Amino acid sequence: MAIRERASPPDVAALVRSQAQLAEVLRIRADYRREGIILERAQALADSALGPDDPATAEVVLCAARWRYAVGDFAGASDRAQRAVAIRERALGPRHLEVADALQVLGASLYRQNRIADTRAAYERSLAIREERLPEGHPGLGVGYNGLALVEGALGNYAEARRLYERGAAIIERNAGPDSPQLAGSLMNIGLMIKNSGDPAAALPYYQRAIAIHEATLGPDSPEVARVLVSLAEAQRSLGDFAAARATMERTLRIREETLGPDHPDVAIILHNLGLLLRQTGDPQGARPLLERAVRIFEKTQGSDDPTTAQVRGNLGVVLAHCGDVDGALAAAVESERVAREHLRLTARRIPEREALRYAEILQGARELALSLAAAGRLERPDQVRTAWNVLLRSRAVVLEEIAEQRRRLRAAHDPTLAALDSALAATSERMARVMLNGPGKQPERYAARLDSARRERERVEREIAAHDAELTGLETGGQAGLDAVAAALPESTALVAYARFPYHDLNPPTGARGDTVRISGSKQPPRYVAFVLPGAGRDPRVAPLGSADEIDSLARRFLEEAGRGTLRRGRTASDAERDCRAAGSALRARAWDPVVAALGGARRVLLVPDGMLHFVPFAALPAADGAFLVETGPTLHLMGSERDAIDRRAAPSSTGLLALGGPAFDARSGETRVPGTTATDAVAVAVRGAAPSCEAFDRVRFAPLPGALAEVEDVVRVWRSAPGAGGGSEGGAIALEGVAASETAFKRLAPGRRVLHLATHGFFLGEDCARTASGTRGIGGMARREGAAPAEEAAHSRLALFGLAFAGANRRAEARPGDDDGVLTAEEASTMHLAGAEWVVLSACETGLGEVAGTEGVLGLQRAFQVAGARTTILSLWQVDDESTRRWMSALYRLRMEGRRSTAEAVRGAALEVLRERRAQGLGSHPFHWAGFVAVGDWR
């Protein structure tokens, strides 16, 4: 460099590059002060002599980005990396390898700012360039795989991240040898994915090998050694080796303070981890100053609204609770939850729904802290209860509401490009669902490839929608409403009860015995339930600790089994089934309902927000005194997905009329007028709403005729047309689709703009349990898992494709051509429909209310799908409903709604009461199976 400085005339570009190379050497040696001086000189020379678009200027700018990253200025690093990308694109073209190098630095800088979607975009583009320009096995490809793995790990896809890291590590080791520092980084990341997957012991060898490589090449006190030590210490802490973990953390803290300075964010990370260790081993007073210092560093370097800052503040709140500062703990929880929620909301706009749901599972904010304080009886004042409830309320259904709002904005934009993307989303959803439902057959490898291709295509469309949606997000969403707004929406004599299932933290000082790691997310503590009760608008909220979630879930499962299948078991009399059901229900009522009754204050209507297994409990069927049920004694009960459902949001596009579909001709081909192979005699004899298949793959399932569903549709249409205002009035007309006409295509075409959608058909879910469906019911139950497709693998592609409804032609679905409907509507497909303004979606089939509970997001299934599509209320079944009882229940429901002008909540209760009283009068017993299988979820009005 000195020779180049003395040259006349000087080769400025070569001199600038030499200065950049010297800066790189200084950074490897952790001499950041000198590196900064050199880069400042190089930048000044490049700007004055070369101009802003010279490739040598780009090299200096990129080197400055790496230096900014090293000293903890991640925003400054990403700004400079972005500038380097732009310069190289103009000078070298957008597909040049040097552009890929700049994108790699940009991705790393964005990652440290928790900008997940932008990180993925940078790394994906970098890898695409490398795969296009480099031969197989080139070390540059290993770098690209490592970047994408970082994103997968951040989103909780640890298996995929590990696969990518291992692929990159193999390439690096072949090219650079087993002692490469770059390989050490890959080894550390592989170990981290193993540890995050639940096996910290198996991660230790990876950390130890990475440390040995870095110590040999960079020295024992290099920042790279410290980086691996952080992960090693966390594995030691997870294994309960607290002494070793503390020694490792203290060594790490010393290295980082000496090399990075006292206010670097990497110093804050180890302060945070050491504080957690001290809290865990019984020293919350010692932990407090460490966590407070970590918060101050993060606030200074990354800002108060950074998710990492929020996580550390939430963990400080746990320590404050241990120290007896409940108000301080709640304040920390509120701020932590606010930042985490906003980050999740904004991230969910930019990534596919599948990834957003997984991200929500690992980004919990401080919800558990607030709920643990409530469950422990530590909230002594109404304002404290209100604060904790707001933390819970605002954490619910963030992804659901964001996805629903994005779809609403998409459809309201009236833009040809967005309309094309909307159609593409529906088409790719249908394609993915069809691949999943058809199964692998005898070619599981080809099936996996087809499924992966379909998923990638759908997610490509989702990302394109997200990119265009950025221009529409100024519209108000209303998703941030808190408890005050909910309370103001409650009508007279209406109470609100909200349940929460969560990992409980014992906030008393630890004894020092070996225990689980207490964290804002990922805790191993036994879960509990807690209930919040608001007796009415203007009243103080109350809290009711309910105890062990495992015990309550077990009681809920037992009651659901007795209520939903008790009368179907062979060898049991009706009286035995009713007795056992009442016993199961009484046990559940004592744990989940009785503790909240005293706080209801005489309310005549109660809006319930369930959680966990309580999502699937028909509360109205719980036994009351003297042989009655809660549906008889009151109050009127109604389920909601979240507390915000109490707010009246009926300013949706106007909709009118009824679309009722029932008794589809499952064996029909397009254009046929009757069901082939089914005579009139057969139709009368088969009085069922579901097939009774053995445990088999879905691609071999045949749906049986549903004569009761045909009669039900006729009943519903008759009630609708006889109601005041029907036909040309405000109710709108009625359309009935039966037999061959009850097709998936017709439903999709006619459903938009309808006020009420009624579907009387078969429902299905592809659950892990394989249960035979009872004769006389409307479902096929949980079908067998297909060979070659494990539950986790299917869920990784789309959880909503595991639930659906059958339409005309469903038994000939294998004959459907690409692009044509196949007679099966999955929840995945339903979520892409345009149903804004739909008041009711009535799913008169088996187990349409079941699904997978996904933490704060609620139940993933048909109800969620129709809510995303725009429906305000969904009426669903919790078990295999009886065909004839269902017909009577539905007829009563519509009569009470249309002729009696009852609210949804009152109509559902009234229908159950009518069927119950009718059965009692006929001496048929009062088992809930026949009258309590349907619930309404959503708007109670």
Side-chain angles (χ1 to χ4, degrees):
M1 188 174 74
I3 295 173
R4 285 174 173 158
E5 286 178 333
R6 292 194 297 268
S8 180
D11 185 343
V12 177
L15 177 58
V16 166
R17 286 193 170 94
S18 295
Q19 289 174 325
Q21 291 165 4
L22 175 59
E24 294 282 349
V25 173
L26 293 172
R27 188 174 66 259
I28 292 172
R29 296 176 178 175
D31 191 347
Y32 303 121
R33 185 190 65 82
R34 288 183 61 201
E35 181 187 10
I37 294 172
I38 292 293
L39 285 173
E40 186 177 359
R41 290 169 53 193
Q43 188 69 67
L45 180 60
D47 288 342
S48 63
L50 299 177
D53 293 332
D54 192 275
T57 301
E59 189 168 339
V60 174
V61 171
L62 189 60
C63 192
R66 294 190 180 102
W67 174 69
R68 289 281 179 180
Y69 182 96
V71 299
D73 180 8
F74 305 122
S78 61
D79 288 345
R80 286 159 178 79
Q82 186 64 66
R83 183 184 170 195
V85 169
I87 295 172
R88 287 181 169 178
E89 285 178 330
R90 288 192 296 269
L92 305 172
R95 309 298 296 175
H96 198 279
L97 285 171
E98 290 189 18
V99 173
D101 291 340
L103 287 167
Q104 206 73 16
V105 177
L106 176 61
S109 305
L110 294 169
Y111 176 79
R112 289 299 297 265
Q113 297 172 69
N114 295 287
R115 293 168 58 180
I116 301 300
D118 293 328
T119 301
R120 176 186 283 281
Y123 280 141
E124 283 185 337
R125 188 177 166 205
S126 172
L127 180 58
I129 294 172
R130 294 169 190 273
E131 288 180 329
E132 178 185 307
R133 305 297 296 273
L134 296 174
E136 183 71 25
H138 191 281
L141 291 174
V143 173
Y145 296 137
N146 283 348
L148 204 54
L150 192 66
V151 177
E152 295 291 349
L155 292 171
N157 192 357
Y158 304 130
E160 175 63 10
R162 180 180 177 180
R163 185 188 69 80
L164 289 167
Y165 279 133
E166 289 177 337
R167 186 176 180 183
I171 293 173
I172 292 169
E173 187 165 12
R174 281 198 303 269
N175 286 273
D179 299 323
S180 163
Q182 198 174 35
L183 176 62
S186 295
L187 293 171
M188 183 203 73
N189 288 324
I190 293 170
L192 185 59
M193 295 305 101
I194 294 171
K195 185 260 182 187
N196 288 347
S197 299
D199 192 357
L204 292 179
Y206 291 89
Y207 297 147
Q208 290 160 350
R209 183 182 171 193
I211 290 170
I213 292 172
H214 281 319
E215 286 182 332
T217 56
L218 302 175
D221 292 336
S222 77
E224 291 303 313
V225 170
R227 183 165 168 255
V228 186
L229 290 173
V230 171
S231 296
L232 173 63
E234 284 300 288
Q236 292 168 332
R237 186 162 72 95
S238 296
L239 291 167
D241 192 351
F242 300 132
R246 181 164 186 171
T248 303
M249 289 181 186
E250 289 174 344
R251 178 188 172 191
T252 307
L253 180 60
R254 176 186 60 78
I255 294 172
R256 286 190 162 175
E257 287 186 320
E258 289 177 356
T259 59
L260 303 176
D263 296 327
H264 195 285
D266 286 354
V267 171
I269 289 174
I270 197 62
L271 288 169
H272 166 262
N273 293 355
L274 184 55
L276 293 187
L277 177 64
L278 293 180
R279 189 224 61 80
Q280 186 175 354
T281 53
D283 186 12
Q285 295 293 345
R288 181 171 182 171
L290 296 176
L291 288 166
E292 288 174 336
R293 181 183 166 197
V295 169
R296 288 195 299 272
I297 293 173
F298 278 124
E299 286 181 333
K300 178 181 178 181
T301 59
Q302 296 184 215
S304 298
D305 290 340
D306 179 78
T308 305
T309 307
Q311 181 186 0
V312 177
R313 183 180 288 110
N315 280 328
L316 172 60
V318 173
V319 169
L320 294 176
H322 277 292
C323 295
D325 185 359
V326 173
D327 287 324
L330 279 175
V334 168
E335 184 63 10
S336 178
E337 185 280 330
R338 179 191 67 80
V339 174
R341 168 172 38 89
E342 184 66 10
H343 173 65
L344 175 60
R345 187 177 67 83
L346 294 176
T347 302
R349 289 181 178 178
R350 303 284 310 283
I351 62 179
E353 184 178 6
R354 175 185 66 95
E355 293 180 347
L357 288 169
R358 194 168 53 207
Y359 196 43
E361 293 175 358
I362 62 177
L363 192 73
Q364 293 290 323
R367 176 178 179 270
E368 295 167 12
L369 167 59
L371 296 179
S372 294
L373 287 168
R378 302 280 295 276
L379 307 181
E380 300 175 351
R381 304 190 311 269
D383 66 295
Q384 293 176 329
V385 175
R386 188 178 299 274
T387 297
W389 195 347
N390 264 315
V391 170
L392 167 65
L393 185 159
R394 289 189 164 115
S395 70
R396 290 197 206 263
V398 175
V399 175
L400 167 63
E401 292 191 354
E402 191 56 45
I403 295 297
E405 282 298 317
Q406 184 186 73
R407 302 281 172 83
R408 183 190 65 79
R409 292 190 295 267
L410 175 67
R411 294 156 189 164
H414 303 296
D415 178 273
T417 300
L418 294 178
L421 286 172
D422 188 31
S423 298
L425 180 66
T428 55
S429 297
E430 190 278 335
R431 178 191 170 207
M432 185 168 69
R434 184 178 298 189
V435 171
M436 290 184 69
L437 295 179
N438 285 343
K442 297 180 180 180
Q443 298 178 314
E445 292 184 0
R446 289 188 60 187
Y447 166 73
R450 289 196 305 270
L451 188 56
D452 188 63
S453 173
R455 175 187 64 81
R456 290 180 183 278
E457 182 62 18
R458 185 186 194 277
E459 293 185 354
R460 181 192 63 77
V461 174
E462 286 184 281
R463 291 193 179 98
E464 284 192 40
I465 290 173
H468 286 84
D469 183 58
E471 303 174 4
L472 307 174
T473 51
L475 300 175
E476 183 179 356
T477 67
Q480 304 305 311
L483 186 58
D484 288 344
V486 171
L490 296 180
E492 186 179 356
S493 298
T494 299
L496 175 66
V497 176
Y499 293 92
R501 187 188 193 277
F502 64 100
Y504 175 70
H505 298 320
D506 182 359
L507 297 174
N508 295 313
T511 62
R514 175 173 174 168
D516 292 309
T517 301
V518 175
R519 301 187 62 145
I520 290 301
S521 61
S523 172
K524 303 292 186 180
Q525 297 289 329
R528 295 192 184 187
Y529 275 103
V530 67
F532 291 89
V533 183
L534 185 64
R539 306 281 295 278
D540 287 334
R542 303 180 186 179
V543 63
L546 301 180
S548 167
D550 291 337
E551 294 174 7
I552 291 174
D553 286 346
S554 178
L555 293 173
R557 289 189 186 94
R558 182 188 168 206
F559 176 59
L560 190 60
E561 175 70 14
E562 291 294 337
R565 292 191 65 83
T567 63
L568 303 177
R569 293 178 180 171
R570 294 181 179 178
R572 299 179 78 193
T573 65
S575 60
D576 287 343
E578 192 165 335
R579 180 201 63 218
D580 292 344
C581 184
R582 178 166 288 275
S586 296
L588 177 61
R589 189 205 66 223
R591 291 294 301 273
W593 179 249
D594 289 353
V596 309
V597 170
L600 293 178
R604 296 194 301 271
R605 181 190 299 113
V606 178
L607 306 180
L608 296 170
V609 182
D611 202 355
M613 274 299 298
L614 298 181
H615 278 292
F616 311 119
V617 170
F619 282 81
L622 292 174
D626 301 325
F629 296 91
L630 292 186
V631 70
E632 299 174 278
T633 62
T636 298
L637 305 175
H638 178 79
L639 300 180
M640 302 190 302
S642 77
E643 292 90 334
R644 291 186 292 277
D645 286 347
I647 299 173
D648 190 350
R649 299 178 179 176
R650 287 179 290 180
S654 60
S655 57
T656 60
L658 164 73
L659 176 63
L661 181 150
F666 300 114
D667 288 323
R669 290 190 178 96
S670 177
E672 288 186 333
T673 58
R674 71 176 187 88
V675 182
T678 302
T679 65
T681 304
D682 294 329
V684 172
V686 186
V688 297
R689 279 210 186 180
S694 59
C695 196
E696 57 185 331
F698 183 80
D699 57 354
R700 295 193 297 274
V701 168
R702 317 307 293 171
F703 297 97
L706 294 174
L710 285 170
E712 177 183 310
V713 166
E714 293 171 0
D715 291 345
V716 168
V717 170
R718 186 182 308 112
V719 171
W720 184 279
R721 288 174 175 166
S722 65
S730 61
E731 309 295 353
I735 297 177
L737 299 176
E738 301 173 344
V740 175
S743 67
E744 181 186 2
T745 299
F747 175 71
K748 288 179 176 179
R749 179 172 59 85
L750 296 173
R754 291 286 156 180
R755 177 183 165 192
V756 173
L757 303 174
H758 185 97
L759 294 97
T761 183
H762 282 296
F764 67 86
F765 72 99
L766 305 183
E768 293 183 47
D769 297 327
C770 197
R772 187 179 179 88
T773 302
S775 176
T777 63
R778 294 191 183 184
I780 62 173
M783 302 313 301
R785 282 280 161 190
R786 300 182 291 280
E787 293 182 9
E793 292 170 343
E794 291 183 345
H797 289 282
S798 173
R799 297 166 177 174
L800 291 183
L802 306 180
F803 308 87
L805 301 164
F807 291 80
N811 287 343
R812 297 184 179 276
R813 56 193 176 276
E815 301 172 13
R817 294 172 299 181
D820 292 342
D821 288 321
D822 59 358
V824 174
L825 180 74
T826 66
E828 183 82 63
E829 296 173 86
S831 71
T832 68
M833 295 181 66
H834 297 197
L835 303 181
E839 184 179 282
W840 277 6
V841 173
V842 183
L843 303 180
S844 184
C846 280
E847 298 172 319
T848 52
L850 299 187
E852 176 189 349
V853 179
T856 58
E857 286 298 308
V859 179
L860 303 183
L862 286 165
Q863 188 271 332
R864 178 189 177 96
F866 281 104
Q867 186 176 356
V868 168
R872 292 202 300 272
T873 301
T874 312
I875 298 174
L876 324 105
S877 61
L878 297 175
W879 51 72
Q880 296 171 14
V881 293
D882 172 73
D883 195 44
E884 187 56 34
S885 294
T886 295
R887 177 188 173 187
R888 295 198 301 272
W889 192 95
M890 289 294 172
S891 180
L893 175 75
Y894 279 90
R895 181 165 31 81
L896 291 167
R897 178 67 164 180
M898 303 305 300
E899 298 175 3
R901 298 297 175 180
R902 303 279 186 91
S903 69
T904 297
E906 292 165 339
V908 169
R909 181 187 182 189
L913 282 171
E914 281 199 21
V915 177
L916 170 59
R917 289 166 180 167
E918 179 183 315
R919 291 186 61 81
R920 278 202 178 122
Q922 295 174 358
L924 298 176
S926 59
H927 197 287
F929 172 80
H930 300 281
W931 56 266
F934 285 93
V935 295
V937 182
D939 192 343
W940 64 272
R941 296 166 184 83

